[in-house]
Amino acid sequence: MSGFKFNPEKIVSELGQYSEQLLQSINTLQQIDEVSVGQTPNEIIYREDKLQLLRYQSEKTPGRKRCKTPLLICYALVNRPYMVDLDQQRSLIKRLLALGLDIYLIDWGYPDAADRYLDMDDYINGYISNCVDQVLQDSGQEQLNLLGICQGGTLSLCYTALNPKKVKNLITMVTPVDFKTPDNMLSHLAQQIDIDLAVDTYGNIPGAMLNDAYNALMPMRLGLQKNLNIPRQLKDPDSALNFLRMEKWIYDSPDQAGEMFRQFLTTFFKENGFINNRVTVGDRPVDLQQINQPLLNIFGSADHLVPPSASRALNGLTKSRKYQEYEVASGHIGVFVSSKSQTEVAPTIAKWLKQHD
């Protein structure tokens, strides 16, 4: 059995190159004043507690078909929604606006101790319901299109099942439906959590702790390999800004309202509520068979947080006669920030909504 063979001269050369890259990284960082995100112009049209409802309006270009039905984006609670507007070159929102959509977005804000006892009823029958009503009032329409992202997609499925007449078309993106597929590593981790002990101990669940859990799913790639590659990411200001915007989003993680965290993990990760028909919001059971509007289900083929099998489980659970799946060759985040987001995902969403407008 042969051991490792080291070339001392090559090691010295590589260490020298790495040191030069580190120095260049420092010089690059000194040229950057601010890491800006979420720069697409918008206005706040509604506030409730920590929540803000943002409105983006598309430019009216002669000859371009616009979608008359407004689109409300419901993002996940566990991260900040500017992932869909990370920068002007990788903004899903900016691209959708250019394709003729009027967009509203729910910014959940940062829960604090006052939000400790908010539950699924508060978020779905309270916040989301109020935002839907505000969008309909502001747009003058009787229905809206709803786009739910990740956990926000799960919440959007619940809302639509409870209020089908207010939603014209439903889009789910990287949304978990079956929370116990064999390849769902996040679910395997969640099964080991004593949810009651966690909530009773922390109150609100720290966002930093959830980040550690996500990183633990891919320790080499998101740990050692990522850190060793940082000097390459910081080789010039443009590359550095792309990297730093993503890092800002990753670690800008709001704490989670304790009771909402308890109910969501119990209902979906522990009991697999959609599959076993065991979802209740407030005193109302959620029946996905109440969803009969056109439904577009988008997921990433290489998603390690919400594997395709977890999203594809939606097929057949609703009564939609116009159910369509769209698989993107990317990971969880790449669906929103890769080049495919601009050239494939956004055009597919806009075209599908206009066809069903």
Side-chain angles (χ1 to χ4, degrees):
M1 180 177 179
S2 60
F4 290 106
K5 294 182 179 180
F6 295 100
N7 185 325
E9 294 181 355
K10 187 174 181 179
I11 292 175
V12 171
S13 175
E14 290 180 354
L15 287 174
Q17 293 175 7
Y18 195 76
S19 296
E20 291 177 1
Q21 291 174 349
L22 286 173
L23 290 173
Q24 180 59 46
S25 298
I26 295 173
N27 293 332
T28 298
L29 290 173
Q30 290 175 338
Q31 300 175 46
I32 297 175
D33 295 325
E34 184 179 358
V35 180
S36 299
V37 293
Q39 294 180 291
T40 301
N42 63 78
E43 62 178 310
I44 301 169
I45 66 165
Y46 177 69
R47 300 176 190 265
E48 183 178 356
D49 300 330
K50 310 299 188 302
L51 175 151
Q52 296 180 340
L53 178 61
L54 311 182
R55 176 178 62 195
Y56 305 80
Q57 285 191 311
S58 62
E59 298 179 2
K60 296 181 180 180
T61 302
R64 183 183 63 190
K65 182 179 179 180
R66 300 179 74 252
C67 186
K68 68 178 182 180
T69 307
L71 175 66
L72 174 62
I73 297 178
C74 178
Y75 202 79
L77 304 176
V78 296
N79 284 108
R80 302 288 292 135
Y82 57 75
M83 169 52 61
V84 293
D85 189 28
L86 197 61
D87 62 52
Q88 292 299 284
Q89 284 69 48
R90 296 183 293 175
S91 173
L92 179 65
I93 283 183
K94 182 180 179 182
R95 185 74 175 107
L96 290 174
L97 291 173
L99 292 168
L101 303 185
D102 290 332
I103 299 173
Y104 298 78
L105 180 143
I106 300 174
D107 182 339
W108 296 108
Y110 297 86
D112 59 25
D115 306 304
R116 158 72 172 82
Y117 294 99
L118 293 177
D119 58 15
M120 284 175 54
D121 185 28
D122 294 310
Y123 276 93
I124 296 172
N125 291 328
Y127 293 142
I128 295 178
S129 180
N130 292 341
C131 285
V132 168
D133 290 344
Q134 289 294 323
V135 171
L136 296 180
Q137 179 181 331
D138 185 74
S139 64
Q141 300 293 322
E142 295 183 355
Q143 290 182 307
L144 53 67
N145 297 322
L146 183 57
L147 189 159
I149 296 174
C150 192
Q151 180 192 25
T154 305
L155 302 180
S156 295
L157 284 167
C158 292
Y159 175 82
T160 305
L162 295 172
N163 305 274
K165 293 182 179 180
K166 293 187 177 182
V167 180
K168 187 165 189 176
N169 301 293
L170 177 62
I171 301 176
T172 54
M173 296 185 72
V174 295
T175 293
V177 176
D178 185 345
F179 284 74
K180 288 193 175 182
T181 57
D183 54 350
N184 192 331
M185 295 302 296
L186 183 60
S187 178
H188 288 302
L189 180 61
Q191 304 309 317
Q192 309 306 315
I193 297 175
D194 187 330
I195 302 173
D196 292 332
L197 178 61
V199 174
D200 293 343
T201 301
Y202 288 101
N204 288 344
I205 302 300
M209 186 171 72
L210 295 178
N211 269 337
D212 291 340
Y214 301 144
N215 289 335
L217 298 177
M218 303 180 71
M220 290 299 295
R221 177 179 172 183
L222 300 178
L224 181 61
Q225 183 179 354
K226 174 183 173 180
N227 290 331
L228 288 175
N229 285 333
I230 285 179
R232 298 179 184 176
Q233 303 283 0
L234 304 180
K235 62 183 178 180
D236 59 66
D238 288 340
S239 176
L241 281 171
N242 285 337
F243 174 75
L244 292 173
R245 289 188 188 102
M246 184 63 70
E247 289 297 287
K248 180 174 182 176
W249 176 81
I250 290 173
Y251 292 101
D252 186 5
S253 300
D255 295 344
Q256 298 300 292
E259 196 58 34
M260 176 62 177
F261 183 84
R262 188 201 312 266
Q263 288 190 2
F264 190 88
L265 260 69
T266 300
T267 300
F268 294 106
F269 282 96
K270 298 287 189 178
E271 300 178 352
N272 208 6
F274 283 148
I275 301 302
N276 296 317
N277 196 26
R278 297 182 62 180
V279 181
T280 300
V281 178
D283 59 356
R284 302 176 63 190
V286 173
D287 180 8
L288 294 185
Q289 289 288 299
Q290 297 300 312
I291 298 176
N292 56 21
Q293 48 269 96
L295 203 168
L296 176 62
N297 188 12
I298 302 173
F299 48 86
S301 61
D303 193 332
H304 74 287
L305 291 176
V306 183
S309 59
S311 296
R312 280 187 165 138
L314 182 58
N315 188 13
L317 292 183
T318 74
K319 279 193 174 179
S320 174
R321 296 183 178 180
K322 295 183 178 180
Y323 173 87
Q324 181 178 340
E325 292 182 350
Y326 175 47
E327 183 173 13
V328 185
S330 74
H332 191 75
I333 304 304
V335 172
F336 310 103
V337 300
S338 68
S339 60
K340 291 183 176 64
S341 173
Q342 301 294 301
T343 60
E344 299 178 18
V345 178
T348 296
I349 291 173
K351 181 179 179 181
W352 186 83
L353 287 175
K354 290 175 183 178
Q355 287 175 343
H356 298 92
D357 197 27

